[in-house]
Each structure stands twice: as C-alpha cells, then as structure tokens.
Amino acid sequence: MSAAYEADFFAWTQQQASLIRKIRLFCPRLPTDIDLDNIAEEIADLGKSHLDAVHSQLRNILVHLLKAAADPGSRSLDHWRTETDGFQSELLVKYSPSMARKVEMDRTWRLAKRNAASALREHGRELPQGLPDGCPFELEAFLGEDFDFDVTLVNLVTFATAHAPR
C-alpha cells in the first residue's frame, strides 16, 4: 500500500478518482469498454462513506452526551459511556486528516440535539436549557485517544448551565 493511502485514506480516494477521470486525456487508446467514469465514482464514494461514518459516530457521541446531560442520574449512564467509547474508537478508525474541512460540526450537533430530544421525550425528559444552536465542541475534542466521556460531559453541562435563561 502506498504511504498516501495509509496516511489519509479520504484524500487518497479523492485523488485517485480525479486521476482516473483524467486517464483518457493521456491514454486515448485505452479500450473504450473500461468504464473509467464509474470506477472513479466508486473510488470517490469509498472515501465519502468514511466521511459519512465520521458524521454518524460524532452524532452518536453527541446524542449520548446530551442524554447524559439531561438525565445525569439515569441507570443508562454507564451504558451511554460504554457505547460512546465504542463510537469514539470507530471515529478514530474512519477519520482522515483531510476530512477536517468537510466535517460539519454544527449540522451534526443540530441532528444530535433532535435525536436526543426524541429519545428523552420517550422517558419524560427534555434537553437541558442553555444549549447553543451551533456545536460547543471543536472536532478535535473527539479525536484524541485520551477522549474522556465524563470530562466532555462536565464541559457540556458547564456550558449549558452558564447559558441557561435565569
């Protein structure tokens, strides 16, 4: 495997797709039954599926943090903590550095708030007041191998408490 593939899978897929799309310009005598456009699209989609997975894992982490902030005494707290560890591990596997500019933290936050609110309503709970419209966390907060659910939860609760209406 190439070093570029190992270092940043997402960037590699986008670069390879771009190069494949240009092959006919430099090699016009290639057999016409080689479907270069669709091959390029499939390779680009591999990278996009990793980006989708990153968004999904971030949303899952945020949903669990929001539920824990809303219901800190829940019997599910240990379960949410354990699941979040798994989500964060999968995030680290799928994340590539070139994704940083493509990860939509504010949109992911809004979706997580909506998902958490729905889940909480089932149990007669609601989101804490003082939560912002935009994500209060930077992407980097979730990318360290030393990520700590409890520390991140305290940061979220502190933020919400400070911004809650009085």
Side-chain angles (χ1 to χ4, degrees):
M1 287 186 217
S2 73
Y5 176 95
E6 290 293 324
D8 192 323
F9 180 75
F10 180 74
W12 178 86
T13 61
Q14 304 314 293
Q15 178 195 36
Q16 295 303 305
S18 176
L19 292 171
I20 289 170
R21 288 182 186 106
K22 295 175 185 174
I23 285 178
R24 288 227 190 270
L25 297 174
F26 299 104
C27 303
R29 295 171 48 149
L30 282 173
T32 57
D33 59 342
I34 298 176
D35 191 354
L36 294 174
D37 289 335
N38 283 319
I39 291 170
E41 192 61 34
E42 290 296 326
I43 290 173
D45 284 349
L46 286 172
K48 290 175 187 169
S49 73
H50 278 231
L51 180 60
D52 291 344
V54 164
H55 280 115
S56 178
Q57 299 307 330
L58 284 167
R59 187 177 60 255
N60 289 336
I61 291 167
L62 291 168
V63 165
H64 281 44
L65 286 165
L66 287 162
K67 290 191 295 188
D71 193 2
S74 174
R75 293 181 302 171
S76 298
L77 188 60
D78 287 337
H79 174 73
W80 296 332
R81 184 181 294 111
T82 301
E83 279 201 331
T84 298
D85 286 343
F87 299 147
Q88 198 263 344
S89 294
E90 187 64 18
L91 171 65
L92 294 178
V93 168
K94 297 293 185 181
Y95 180 78
S96 294
S98 64
M99 290 179 181
R101 66 184 185 278
K102 300 235 182 234
V103 173
E104 301 174 67
M105 290 301 292
D106 287 342
R107 181 174 185 270
T108 303
W109 171 253
R110 288 190 304 274
L111 292 171
K113 282 184 10 182
R114 186 178 75 194
N115 295 157
S118 293
L120 289 164
R121 266 193 305 276
E122 285 183 24
H123 302 283
R125 301 281 186 183
E126 57 186 43
L127 290 173
Q129 293 190 359
L131 295 174
D133 292 332
C135 188
F137 300 105
E138 297 294 325
L139 171 62
E140 292 74 23
F142 304 100
L143 296 178
E145 291 190 18
D146 60 345
F147 171 79
D148 187 303
F149 178 87
D150 294 309
V151 169
T152 309
L153 177 59
V154 167
N155 291 339
L156 177 59
V157 170
T158 301
F159 183 92
T161 302
H163 293 88
R166 302 205 190 270

